[in-house]
Amino acid sequence: MSQDRRYSFEFFPTKTDAGHEKLLATARQLASHNPDFFSCTYGAGGSTRDRTLNTVLQLESEVKIPSAPHLSCVGDSKDDLRGLLNQYKDAGIKRIVALRGDLPSGMGMASGELRHANDLVSFIREETGSHFHIEVAAYPEMHPQARNFEDDIQHFVRKANAGADSAITQYFFNADSYFYFVDRVRAMGVNIPIVPGIMPITNYSKLARFSDACGAEIPRWIRKQLEAYGDDSQSIQAFGEQVVTEMCERLLQGGAPGLHFYTLNLAEPSLAVWNNLKLPR
């Protein structure tokens, strides 16, 4: 495996002090493996704006790993976004994950001054030049709100052409969907790195609910095996670790430029896959 691949871990900001301390402990454990960066999510309509900001600044200053805040444009004015960008820039943050974001419940279609992720990418470039490395999202199995796969591909191309530096995918469990997506956008002239998002499997019922909501397909054979384990969490985790490890091996062998782990603020599930892969860190 090439040393120039990049590996990263994602967290979500917590609502309690105890949860935040657990997040920092997880981050310190993961930091010992020298990831390229951490990222931290941003709630619907910017609902976790302050917690995202504080978490990212603390990861950067205390855990000493470069950290990337998610930034969404739904529900925020240009002035709001400009203020956040300036705060991140002043704090020495160098990477941002630029997203449209989800509409919070009850917001309807009131979605701020910027309506799409490509608008946000363009705005960040206009405001800050090349200061930030801009990540965007990719959906190998189609965004759940997209009209069709072709529209979704075109939307990704617009984000890339607006000035994105690289992309992180929604998680998936079918490597072919990733390779097909990459081949399609390469044929359309998009050459930015597209890093697979990896979701460890630890709890079938939660994974199924989340996957149905975000449009990530769990292949039938995986669903059926997980269902067969019932409440046997040990077997679910062992099977999940094997499935995800084998998929990651195939992705890396097929040329994926790294891996981005959705940790759910837990270290062990991601590290189990990391250690199986013997990543060169």
Side-chain angles (χ1 to χ4, degrees):
M1 295 180 195
S2 170
Q3 289 283 359
D4 60 7
R5 287 190 166 114
R6 55 165 245 210
Y7 301 98
S8 49
F9 296 101
E10 183 166 300
F11 305 106
F12 61 86
T14 64
K15 296 179 180 179
T16 66
D17 290 343
H20 184 68
E21 288 306 313
K22 180 182 174 185
L23 185 160
L24 291 178
T26 296
R28 291 186 181 99
Q29 190 174 350
L30 295 171
S32 66
H33 294 265
N34 299 316
D36 291 280
F37 67 96
F38 292 146
S39 71
C40 185
T41 63
Y42 194 70
S47 57
T48 66
R49 181 187 298 114
D50 291 341
R51 293 199 299 275
T52 297
L53 172 67
N54 293 336
T55 300
V56 166
L57 296 183
Q58 204 167 3
L59 290 171
E60 183 100 9
S61 64
E62 294 183 22
V63 187
K64 307 297 185 184
I65 295 293
S67 297
H70 287 210
L71 184 63
S72 67
C73 55
V74 166
D76 275 345
S77 69
K78 288 184 178 180
D79 282 344
D80 291 335
L81 294 167
R82 188 177 292 115
L84 269 175
L85 290 171
N86 287 333
Q87 280 185 282
Y88 286 130
K89 190 174 179 182
D90 291 345
I93 300 297
K94 297 287 191 178
R95 188 184 298 261
I96 280 181
V97 183
L99 309 165
R100 186 201 72 175
D102 297 322
L103 288 168
S105 177
M107 183 178 268
M109 291 307 294
S111 56
E113 294 181 67
L114 305 176
R115 296 184 64 87
H116 302 289
N118 59 290
D119 299 326
L120 178 57
V121 173
S122 296
F123 179 75
I124 295 171
R125 285 285 174 243
E126 290 164 7
E127 293 292 320
T128 64
S130 60
H131 176 82
F132 292 108
H133 179 112
I134 301 177
E135 305 275 0
V136 292
Y139 294 87
E141 296 173 324
M142 196 177 85
H143 190 285
Q145 295 173 352
R147 287 185 296 179
N148 56 58
F149 191 66
E150 295 304 315
D151 271 9
D152 207 34
I153 290 277
Q154 292 290 346
H155 183 53
F156 178 79
V157 171
R158 286 194 292 273
K159 289 191 288 189
N161 292 341
D165 293 292
S166 54
I168 299 168
T169 77
Q170 174 63 277
Y171 71 86
F172 53 86
F173 298 105
N174 180 356
D176 287 336
S177 66
Y178 169 82
F179 291 125
Y180 179 74
F181 178 88
V182 171
D183 286 346
R184 284 294 310 277
V185 300
R186 294 285 183 257
M188 299 172 77
V190 174
N191 294 311
I192 63 173
I194 301 171
V195 175
I198 305 301
M199 177 70 81
I201 299 174
T202 58
N203 180 299
Y204 173 60
S205 59
K206 288 182 180 177
L207 179 68
R209 285 197 303 273
F210 192 45
S211 299
D212 290 344
C214 70
E217 181 70 23
I218 304 175
R220 188 170 185 272
W221 69 275
I222 295 178
R223 279 185 181 265
K224 291 301 180 185
Q225 183 62 74
L226 290 170
E227 287 170 359
Y229 288 131
D231 295 328
D232 183 353
S233 59
Q234 191 170 352
S235 293
I236 289 172
Q237 291 177 26
F239 173 72
E241 181 184 323
Q242 177 187 352
V243 165
V244 174
T245 297
E246 290 175 355
M247 182 183 72
C248 289
E249 287 173 339
R250 187 175 169 213
L251 290 168
L252 293 172
Q253 289 165 2
L259 300 170
H260 180 79
F261 291 90
Y262 296 107
T263 68
L264 301 181
N265 292 3
L266 301 170
E268 287 76 11
S270 296
L271 287 182
V273 175
W274 177 287
N275 291 331
N276 290 341
L277 294 170
K278 298 181 172 61
L279 295 179
R281 313 305 272 183

